[in-house]
Amino acid sequence: SISASEASKISSVCGQEKVSWCMPYFDNTPIQLTDKWDYDVLFVGSNHDANVVSLQWFIQAVYEPLLYSQGVTLRVVGSVGSIVDIHRFGGLVDVTGRVADLSPHYAKCGVVALPIIAGAGVPIKVLDAMGRGVPFVVTDFPSAAMSFNGEIPVARNPNEMAQQILSCLADQDERKGRSEIGLDFAAKHSSRTCYFSQWDKILAQLTGSDGG
C-alpha cells in the first residue's frame, strides 16, 4: 500500500495478515552540518497540486506574516516556484527552477520547511530531507501517512511552524537535534535494509519459507 494510513484502512476490510506496508527508501549521503548557511529556509517542490497549495499556505500563513518582517530569507527550488507568486518579497526570496542535484541546496540552507497540508501517500520530500540529515520543520499532516508515532516533532499551526523555524535558525543545538532526529527516523524506517527486510517477510509469507 502507499502509506501507513492507507494500509490501516485496507486492513480493516481485508485483515492485517493480508496487508503489508513499507516506507520508500533513499540512499542519499548525509550533508555536513555547519553553523553557516547561504539562505535561511529552503522549500523544494515540483508543480504538483499538493506542492502548490502547501507553498501557498506557507507563504500566506507563515512566511509573510511571521518570518518576512524578521528578515528570514527563503529559497524555493523546483518548478513550483514558477506557479506561486513570491516575487513581491524582493531579495529575501530566491526562486530557482528545476535542478539536476538538490545536494548543494540542502547543504547551504539553515532549515528545510516541509509545510505539507495536502497530498496522498508518503511525501518523498520529507524522507529526502531526513535522510540527508538536514534540519527540518514539518507540519503534522504527514503524521498518519508516515506513522510518526511521536518520533518526529511537528508544527500544528502557522505560529508553531514559524517558532520552530526561528528556533532552528537561532540555536545550533536545535538544528543539530533536528538533523539527528531525521537521520534516526530514516535509518529505522526508510533505509535500504528496512525496505528489503519488509519484502523478505512478504515473500517468505507467500512462499511459506522462513525468509532465509
Side-chain angles (χ1 to χ4, degrees), residues 62-72 89 92:
V62 182
Y63 183 74
E64 186 166 18
L66 302 171
L67 299 176
Y68 175 64
S69 63
Q70 301 198 48
V72 173
F89 301 111
L92 291 184

Side-chain angles (χ1 to χ4, degrees), residues 37 40-43 57-58 62-63 66-68 70 72-74 110-115 135-139 155 157-171 174-175 178:
W37 49 85
D40 298 322
V41 181
L42 173 67
F43 180 95
W57 175 84
F58 179 70
V62 182
Y63 183 74
L66 302 171
L67 299 176
Y68 175 64
Q70 301 198 48
V72 173
T73 56
L74 169 67
V111 59
V112 172
L114 301 165
F136 67 92
V137 175
V138 63
T139 50
N157 54 59
N159 284 325
E160 286 190 3
M161 172 150 267
Q163 287 304 313
Q164 289 181 26
I165 288 173
L166 292 172
S167 293
C168 284
L169 296 176
D171 188 340
E174 179 69 16
R175 292 184 72 242
R178 293 284 175 133

Side-chain angles (χ1 to χ4, degrees), residues 118-146:
V122 174
I124 298 302
K125 62 167 58 62
V126 177
L127 291 180
D128 193 21
M130 288 182 177
R132 295 175 189 262
V134 187
F136 67 92
V137 175
V138 63
T139 50
D140 60 348
F141 183 86
S143 298
M146 300 182 68

